[in-house]
Amino acid sequence: MTAVLEKSFVDTAGRPTGGGRRLPSQWLAVIPFFFYLGIFLLLPTLIVVGGAFFDRNGLGFSNLLIMNKPFVISAYLNSVILAAITAIAGAVLGAVLAYAVVSGNPNGVFRRLVTSACGVLAQFGGVTLAFAFIATIGSAGFVYLWLKQHGLDVYAHGLWLYDLRGLELVYTYFQIPLMVLVFLPALDGIRPQWREATESLGGNTWQYWRYVAGPLLAPAFFGATLLLFANAFSAYATAAALVNQGSVIASLLIANTMTSEVGLHDPGIASALALVMVVMVATVMVLYTVLQRRTARWLR
Amino acid sequence: MSRARRTKLRIFRIVVFIVMGAFFLVPIAAMFEFSTRGPTDASPRTLSAWLSIAQTPELSSAIIASLELALLTSIGMLVLLVPTMIWVRLRVPAVSRTVEFLCLLPLTVPAIVLVAGLAPEYQWISLNFSDSILTLGFVYLVLVLPYAYRTLDTGLAAIDVKTLSEAARSLGASWLTVMLRVIVPNMWVALLNACLLSVAVVLGEFTIANLLNYENLQVAIALLGRANATVSIAVAVAALLLAFVLLVVLSFVGRPRSGVGRLEEEGLSGFGRQLGGGLR
C-alpha cells in the first residue's frame, strides 16, 4: 500500500495538471480496495447467480425449477408471512415507542438512553437472543413457570416457542428497536406548529393525525416497515439457534441445502434458492429507498 | 397544550416505557437467572456455570479465535478502508459513489446468501492457503464494511481533509505522512468507533462461521447449548455483556470535543440500523 502511494506521488509530481495521463496513477491507490471487494463480495454474488443458472448440462433454468417444489414454496411462504407479521408488529409497536420518546425532552437523558439501548438491541440476535427467550418462556424458563403457577399455561396447545410462532415473538424483539431508530428522524421532522395550525383552524386530535401528521408520516412508516420486512426475511442466526430441525423458513432451507443435512446437498440448488432470496430482498430495499427519499423532503 | 392532554400524554408515555422496558429487560434478566441455577430446582443459586467457562476447552479456544478474528478484522478494516477513503476524497472523487455503493452493498446481500457464494471460495482457500479459522477474517472484513464506512465517512466529513493535506503537502510531507500524522490523529474518534463496531459484529457473528464449519464463539455457544444449557447461557450473557461494554464505550468516547457529539449518537443508532452482518 505504502509503495503504491509513494509511487503515485512520484509519478504525478512532475506531470502537468489535467490530461488523461494523470488518471491511471491516481487510480492505483484504490485498486487494492476494488480487488478485495471483487474477491470477497462481488465474486461470491456472481457464484450465486452463476450457480443458479448453470447445471450439469450448462446454462439453463433447471436449478430454479426447485421453486416449484411444495416444500420450497411453503418455506418461502412461511418466511414471507413471518417477515410480514413481525414487520407490521415491530412497525406499530416501534412507532408507538418512538412517539413516546419524541414527545419527551429532545435533549434529555431519557431519550439518549432509549436510542442507545435501541442501537444495541436492534443488533441483538442469533444464539444469544434465542437463549434469552428459552430462559424466559422455555419449558424451564422462569416467566413460563411463574405464569403456570398462576394458572396460565402458555403451552397448553403445544410447545410453540421452537416453531414459527416462537420466531414471530423472538423476531419482534429486534424489530421494535430497529423501527424506533428508523422512524425517529421522521417523527422529529414533525413541527409542533403544524398541530397548532390544525387547532387554530378548529381541528381536533383525530383530524390532526388523519389529515396532517398521518399523510406526512405515511411514506416513512411504510418505508420502515419494508426495511423491517427485509430484515426478518433475510435473518438466519436466530432461527437456526431456535428451530432445531426442518426447513420451515427460506433461510434455514438454504442452509440445509448447503450443508446436506436433509440429504439435499446441491450447491446449484442452494444458489438458486439464495438468488431468489437476494432478488426479493433487493426489490424490497429499492422500494424502501424510494419511500425514504420521499420522506427526506420533510426532514429538513 | 391543554392540561388534560398533557396528563394523558404523560400517562401514555409511562405505560409505554414500562411495558416496553419489561419486554426488553425480562429476557436478559431471565438469562442471568438461568445461568445461576443449581443442578436441581431445590439447590441454591450458584456461580458454578460461570466458573466452568474457563474450564471448557472447546469454549476457550472458540473465545480466543473470536477475539483474534475481531483484532484481525479491525486491523484489516483500517488498512483497507482508511487510506482508500482519504485518497478517494482527495484525489479521485469520481469513484466516491462507487466506493460508497460497494461498502453498503453487504446490507442488501443477506449473510445467508453471501455464504452460499463463499462456500466454494473457502473450499479453495482451505485447500490451497490455510484451513485456519482466522481465514474467516477475510469475509468478516466485508461484513463490517457498512458499519465502518458510515462511521469513517462521518469522521472524515467533520474535518477539512483537503486543507489539512494541502498544508502538509506544501510543507513537504509525503502522502504517507499526510495520512498517518495529519489526518488520522484528527479523526481518531471515528477510527476507534469503527473498530469497536467491527469487534461487536465479529463477536456476534454466527451465520457464516456456522455454515462454513468453523467454530467461533457463537457457534461454540450454540453447540454447547445442546449439552450444557446453563454454561452456554452463562457464556452468552458474558458475550452480551462484553458487546454491551464495547458499545457503551462507543457512546462515551470523544464526547468532550464539539462536533463529534453527532458522530457518537450516529455511531450507536447507525449500528442498530444496519441490516446484514450475520448477527440476526
Side-chain angles (χ1 to χ4, degrees), chain A residues 129-209:
Chain A
L129 182 62
F131 281 5
F133 272 86
I134 292 172
T136 314
I137 55 159
S139 43
F142 88 91
V143 171
Y144 168 70
L145 295 174
W146 186 82
L147 285 174
K148 206 174 168 188
Q149 274 168 12
H150 291 75
L152 180 67
D153 185 2
V154 286
Y155 296 133
H157 303 289
L159 190 61
W160 48 264
L161 178 63
Y162 304 98
D163 213 335
L164 265 180
R165 272 181 300 161
L167 286 180
E168 283 163 15
L169 174 70
V170 177
Y171 278 18
T172 312
Y173 193 92
F174 55 66
Q175 296 280 51
I176 294 174
L178 181 62
M179 180 67 183
V180 172
L181 297 176
V182 180
F183 198 53
L184 211 51
L187 275 180
D188 276 332
I190 294 287
R191 311 279 151 79
Q193 290 88 331
W194 295 342
R195 174 140 204 172
E196 286 155 16
T198 315
E199 277 166 6
S200 70
L201 291 168
N204 58 26
T205 302
W206 159 248
Q207 283 164 330
Y208 166 70
W209 285 106

Side-chain angles (χ1 to χ4, degrees), chain B residues 6 46 48 62 72 78 117 122 143 153 188 202 208 221 272 274:
Chain B
R6 197 172 304 209
T46 160
S48 66
L72 281 178
L78 291 179
Y122 267 83
L143 286 190
D153 194 50
W188 68 270
V202 172
I208 291 177
I221 294 176
Q274 313 282 345

